[in-house]
Amino acid sequence: MKKNTPGLLLMLALLLAATTFTQAQSVSADSIKSLKLHKEILKQTTELNKQKLNLADYQNKLVKLQSDLEKANKDAAKSAAESKDYSQKMAKNPGDEKLARRAKKAAKSASSSNNKAEKLTSNVASMQRNITKTSSKITDLEKKISNLRSKG
């Protein structure tokens, strides 16, 4: 019986090792799956935070652009009124060179203010599109994250 004892012990040890290895592999596979899911959630959450920062930045820029646009519109209206006023005065005094220079300067200022207001209007529209796109991305990311969390 002593001759078979070392062989029996060796077989028992191998059986125990094989069982432990099989159990470790199944737990490890589940752990890996769980870690991959967690990694994906972190990746999506990071992207969500990035998009939220972008949205806040766009909203701050939009407020400034709207303020600038309002100022440009006021300046354009003021310059247009001045130009009109000088034009009416020029109609009464057609030979007044000083008045003609002022009228020309006011018209140039009105044109410049209108161009600035036009550009700012375009920038406001662009910023609003960026806000809409970013808000949509945020909504999509929140749905993805929610779905990933429900899997885990």
Side-chain angles (χ1 to χ4, degrees):
M1 191 105 171
K2 287 188 174 187
K3 288 184 179 180
N4 288 341
T5 306
L8 190 59
L9 287 175
L10 182 62
M11 282 184 25
L12 186 60
L14 287 174
L15 182 61
L16 183 61
T19 306
T20 305
F21 182 71
T22 305
Q23 288 176 348
Q25 278 186 327
S26 65
V27 171
S28 179
D30 289 342
S31 293
I32 290 172
K33 184 179 177 183
S34 176
L35 289 172
K36 284 183 179 180
L37 181 63
H38 187 65
K39 178 182 174 184
E40 183 63 23
I41 290 171
L42 286 174
K43 179 181 170 188
Q44 296 299 324
T45 303
T46 301
E47 181 64 21
L48 175 64
N49 289 339
K50 178 182 167 191
Q51 293 301 324
K52 284 183 177 181
L53 287 172
N54 287 343
L55 179 62
D57 185 44
Y58 292 151
Q59 289 171 334
N60 289 337
K61 286 179 181 178
L62 179 63
V63 169
K64 184 181 180 334
L65 283 172
Q66 287 173 330
S67 173
D68 291 348
L69 177 60
E70 188 177 317
K71 184 182 181 306
N73 282 332
K74 285 180 183 177
D75 290 346
K78 180 183 172 189
S79 296
E82 278 181 15
S83 180
K84 182 181 176 185
D85 194 34
Y86 283 126
S87 295
Q88 289 172 347
K89 289 179 182 178
M90 284 286 298
K92 293 178 186 173
N93 300 322
D96 191 344
E97 289 182 24
K98 186 176 179 182
L99 205 53
R101 281 193 304 272
R102 287 183 181 167
K104 183 179 177 182
K105 184 178 177 183
K108 187 176 179 181
S109 176
S111 175
S112 175
S113 295
N114 281 333
N115 288 341
K116 184 176 180 180
E118 217 175 281
K119 183 177 178 183
L120 285 168
T121 299
S122 174
N123 290 346
V124 165
S126 175
M127 196 60 60
Q128 287 172 334
R129 284 191 300 273
N130 287 343
I131 287 172
T132 302
K133 286 180 186 177
T134 304
S135 294
S136 176
K137 286 180 185 178
I138 287 172
T139 303
D140 291 345
L141 286 168
E142 286 173 340
K143 285 179 186 176
K144 278 184 181 179
I145 292 169
S146 177
N147 287 339
L148 287 171
R149 286 188 174 147
S150 68
K151 287 181 183 178

